[in-house]
Amino acid sequence: MTSVDQTTIRRRHTGLTALDRAATAGGYTLYAPQTGNGQVLLVDIEGERAHSWQMPVRPGRDAVILANGNLGYNGSHAASAALYPAWDLWHGGDFYEATPDGEIVWRHEDLFHHHDAQWLENGNLLYTVAAPLPADKAARVTGGDPRKDGADGIIQSDIIREVNRAGETVWEWRIWDHLDPADFPIHPNFDRRHWPMVNGLSVTRDGLVLMSLRTTSGVIAVKRDTGVVVWHVGPDVVAQQHTPIETESGAILVFDNGNLRTGSTSPFSRALEFDPSGKVVWSYTDTLPMAFFSPYMGGCQRLWNGNTLICESAFGRLFEVTPEGKVVWEFVIPEFGEYPAPLNSFITGMHNSCFRAHRYAKTALPWL
């Protein structure tokens, strides 16, 4: 008798599942499996492994190829601050730079880091950290489920921090100095332990810092020199989104997760591009919308030929679409594993997820 694999995703086809050679941008795709114990993989357009790294710790979130060809890695710190039960799912705090041969050439630690980080062109690192919301501000937090408040009554909030190669803080921005919690209510399905949870950030060509607000649904743009929020696009446009990135046109591309989407009874995800006024200029959804959905994590990248690489994180599905919405490449991560204890007590089963994936042209990988 043949036993049946009880991992639903793995019973389906994994690895390369679709390829239109004439329409794809080509190149190499990098990803770090969330349950891969520190393995980072680079696959070619055929889905074949082209390179790999074994990092010292499992990913906190992301891995990228830096301008010098090295790997920038956002690892999960073994001694990170235990701020609330789900904290271990999305904290990082153990950053490494590694050569293609795996030699560690730089490390930075921050026990309060969570979610995203950006390796800047000047060599600095920009990332999010959690910090307690001052009591007067915490009293103004609305929405969410008050039955799921932390036992200590503390609501965590967000600071954006930039450090140099010496680990020195060279810029810092506290969100509660610029946003009123009463104007940014938490969605009903979230507890009130973290407001507004910045889960993604990037820097535009003009130096604006883009931030994705997870628990309130929204993207803001911040002027670095003054700290002023120059625009905000809210839950009338996006729903639980990730990965705000400026495109060449000056619009913003996000992975719009779709949890609690306004006007929709069935959740679905989309790749979404909008201008700073909130006007949608491009989007991709599956022809059967709910067939493409990641309730957490997710990423989009505009490629050099105009196509878009999409990471449907929760199900390990990486795919590329044309501007017309035609799928021309698809790869399902074949590496599965359980989250380590104690996380596997409340996020069960076998996972092939990754926070984000990145596509690189051969010229970005001179060592390959």
Side-chain angles (χ1 to χ4, degrees):
M1 180 180 295
T2 302
S3 61
V4 175
D5 188 340
Q6 296 304 300
T7 302
T8 301
I9 304 170
R10 194 165 52 194
R11 286 200 305 271
R12 301 167 183 170
H13 197 162
T14 62
L16 184 71
T17 58
L19 175 60
D20 183 337
R21 297 179 188 280
T24 179
Y28 296 80
T29 303
L30 184 79
Y31 64 93
Q34 282 287 289
T35 56
N37 297 318
Q39 190 176 44
V40 181
L41 301 163
L42 185 73
V43 297
D44 63 21
I45 207 64
E46 304 278 352
E48 297 296 328
R49 187 176 300 188
H51 196 73
S52 65
W53 293 257
Q54 181 59 55
M55 301 304 291
V57 296
R58 75 177 187 89
R61 277 301 182 246
D62 207 8
V64 298
I65 301 295
L66 305 177
N68 62 5
N70 285 348
L71 183 78
Y73 184 70
N74 172 358
S76 180
H77 203 293
S80 180
L83 299 182
Y84 46 78
W87 174 257
D88 281 345
L89 279 176
W90 45 66
H91 80 68
D94 204 357
F95 298 98
Y96 295 87
E97 181 179 342
T99 68
D101 294 331
E103 178 188 0
I104 305 299
V105 295
W106 187 73
R107 185 186 184 192
H108 174 70
E109 300 172 77
D110 193 323
L111 301 187
F112 295 93
H113 165 259
H114 69 92
H115 284 93
D116 208 1
Q118 293 291 310
W119 301 72
L120 304 179
E121 291 182 0
N122 63 1
N124 290 355
L125 186 65
L126 182 73
Y127 58 89
T128 53
V129 297
L133 192 61
D136 61 324
K137 301 289 186 179
R140 297 183 60 78
V141 171
T142 63
D145 187 346
R147 296 172 300 175
K148 298 179 181 178
D149 282 356
D152 55 9
I154 294 174
I155 297 176
Q156 299 293 329
S157 192
D158 301 293
I159 296 174
I160 309 305
R161 179 173 294 162
E162 181 181 344
V163 298
N164 61 21
R165 297 291 287 188
E168 302 164 332
T169 299
V170 297
W171 183 74
E172 197 168 84
W173 185 87
R174 302 186 306 182
I175 198 164
W176 60 83
D177 289 337
H178 304 278
L179 300 185
D180 183 348
D183 296 332
F184 293 80
I186 296 175
H187 282 298
N189 66 329
F190 282 97
D191 62 36
R192 294 154 58 96
R193 293 187 177 96
H194 201 149
W195 172 92
M197 192 183 286
V198 175
N199 65 6
L201 73 165
S202 66
V203 181
T204 71
R205 292 186 296 276
D206 293 335
L208 295 177
V209 182
L210 303 180
M211 306 178 194
S212 167
L213 316 181
R214 169 69 166 178
T215 65
T216 65
S217 287
V219 177
I220 59 174
V222 173
K223 196 172 181 182
R224 285 178 59 102
D225 56 352
T226 64
V228 171
V229 177
V230 297
W231 57 256
H232 166 240
V233 172
D236 56 328
V237 177
V238 292
Q240 315 288 287
Q241 72 302 310
H242 286 75
T243 327
I245 300 174
E246 184 185 44
T247 63
E248 288 188 3
S249 69
I252 310 303
L253 180 67
V254 301
F255 184 95
D256 189 35
N257 293 74
N259 310 38
L260 296 182
R261 186 183 304 285
T262 300
S264 173
T265 58
S266 299
F268 63 92
S269 295
R270 58 182 178 170
L272 181 69
E273 187 176 3
F274 57 84
D275 67 24
S277 73
K279 178 183 177 182
V280 174
V281 297
W282 180 82
S283 68
Y284 167 82
T285 57
D286 197 280
T287 53
L288 176 63
M290 66 283 291
F292 164 38
F293 176 57
S294 182
Y296 48 83
M297 302 188 291
C300 297
Q301 177 190 352
R302 182 60 43 80
L303 302 178
W304 47 88
N305 70 341
N307 289 356
T308 301
L309 177 70
I310 301 171
C311 176
E312 188 181 2
S313 293
F315 305 109
R317 177 177 173 242
L318 318 178
F319 63 105
E320 178 186 346
V321 300
T322 66
E324 297 76 30
K326 177 184 176 184
V327 174
V328 296
W329 181 84
E330 182 183 63
F331 177 87
V332 179
I333 294 173
E335 292 84 20
F336 285 79
E338 291 187 351
Y339 276 91
L343 295 180
N344 59 2
S345 65
F346 63 93
I347 181 166
T348 60
M350 302 290 286
H351 296 261
N352 67 337
S353 59
C354 70
F355 181 60
R356 194 175 297 170
H358 302 269
R359 179 72 63 81
Y360 297 94
K362 180 66 167 67
T363 53
L365 308 166
W367 42 264
L368 190 61

